[in-house]
Amino acid sequence: AQSVTQLGSHVSVSEGALVLLRCNYSSSVPPYLFWYVQYPNQGLQLLLKYTSAATLVKGINGFEAEFKKSETSFHLTKPSAHMSDAAEYFCAVSDGGSNYKLTFGKGTLLTVNP
Amino acid sequence: GAVVSQHPSRVICKSGTSVKIECRSLDFQATTMFWYRQFPKQSLMLMATSNEGSKATYEQGVEKDKFLINHASLTLSTLTVTSAHPEDSSFYICSGSGLAELETQYFGPGTRLLVL
């Protein structure tokens, strides 16, 4: 069985500061890992994904994430937060079975203070 | 990334009526489509998975006779909420994945359903 834990349901940063959103996963096989962003009343937009290639993955809007197998982590970072980054962020894992079903974390709400 | 649309974006209906939500993949063929439900300030809950031309596979606890899913073509899936009740009010989101990226789901913008 696969699972995802997102540490911190709410993260607040100042504009220009480093963004770090934490995600730890559990999977019995090499996982596929994803970060999605959701703005209010909208669907999910894919930020980036890990599919067993490079462990450091670069995504859209300046975000990146590093797959660390030893720590079972896939934390999302951005060097400098922008006001437009304020949104809900979801980490998700798939083990490749069952049509690549995703298991989502509970989400982290990022607020950016001016 | 690939684009998925949903229609309508929001719908209000009376208790006891049925509502149909459409999910379309606009620039790729979605061999698999997924339907999720999201409650306020919560994560997504997978309701069902459908492969084109096959019956949908429902998650445990989801009533298949209440939430009818059809995936008749590679670009269209529909979710029909039958005999809707106020407790069915929610945000419904679909996603699709194609042969080029089997592991990646692209999500629609969601449909807000309010049952009075």
Side-chain angles (χ1 to χ4, degrees):
Chain A
Q2 55 196 29
S3 66
V4 173
T5 302
Q6 289 185 241
L7 293 173
S9 59
H10 186 194
V11 170
S12 182
V13 300
S14 298
E15 191 174 18
L18 171 71
V19 175
L20 171 60
L21 304 182
R22 299 178 188 274
C23 172
N24 288 88
Y25 70 92
S26 172
S27 176
S28 57
V29 299
Y32 298 95
L33 293 159
F34 306 83
W35 276 100
Y36 287 92
V37 61
Q38 184 178 36
Y39 296 97
N41 297 307
Q42 294 187 29
L44 275 66
Q45 181 182 10
L46 179 66
L47 276 179
L48 49 82
K49 64 180 180 181
Y50 168 76
T51 57
S52 78
T55 56
L56 182 61
V57 181
K58 294 186 185 299
I60 61 171
N61 301 339
F63 285 94
E64 63 181 39
E66 186 171 8
F67 171 69
K68 291 187 177 180
K69 184 178 178 180
S70 60
E71 299 177 8
T72 61
S73 68
F74 191 57
H75 302 331
L76 183 70
T77 60
K78 181 174 180 177
S80 176
H82 192 272
M83 297 296 288
S84 61
D85 295 327
E88 187 88 28
Y89 291 80
F90 292 97
C91 181
V93 64
S94 169
D95 64 6
S98 300
N99 290 303
Y100 295 85
K101 266 196 307 188
L102 291 176
T103 298
F104 284 90
K106 294 191 175 187
T108 298
L109 178 65
L110 175 67
T111 57
V112 182
N113 304 307
Chain B
V3 181
V4 175
S5 70
Q6 275 183 248
H7 179 79
S9 58
R10 57 175 57 208
V11 57
I12 301 173
C13 69
K14 294 182 179 180
S15 186
T17 61
S18 294
V19 173
K20 181 184 282 188
I21 302 169
E22 290 188 350
C23 176
R24 294 182 184 273
S25 56
L26 299 185
D27 55 1
F28 71 105
Q29 293 186 322
T31 50
T32 306
M33 283 186 163
F34 304 82
W35 286 94
Y36 295 84
R37 186 172 177 176
Q38 186 179 33
F39 293 102
K41 300 190 186 302
Q42 293 191 26
S43 189
L44 280 72
M45 181 190 80
L46 179 64
M47 299 173 67
T49 303
S50 71
N51 290 301
E52 184 261 340
S54 301
K55 286 186 178 180
T57 301
Y58 290 82
E59 295 299 299
Q60 195 170 8
V62 177
E63 298 176 61
K64 63 179 181 181
D65 294 331
K66 179 166 190 61
F67 297 100
L68 301 179
I69 291 171
N70 183 280
H71 189 174
S73 79
L74 287 171
T75 59
L76 174 64
S77 177
T78 60
L79 167 68
T80 301
V81 183
T82 62
S83 187
H85 291 282
E87 58 265 30
D88 299 324
S89 298
S90 192
F91 193 53
Y92 292 88
I93 309 176
C94 71
S95 70
S97 62
L99 288 176
E101 295 179 279
L102 285 173
E103 77 288 346
T104 303
Q105 292 181 33
Y106 292 95
F107 285 79
T111 296
R112 176 78 58 192
L113 171 63
L114 177 61
V115 184
L116 302 176

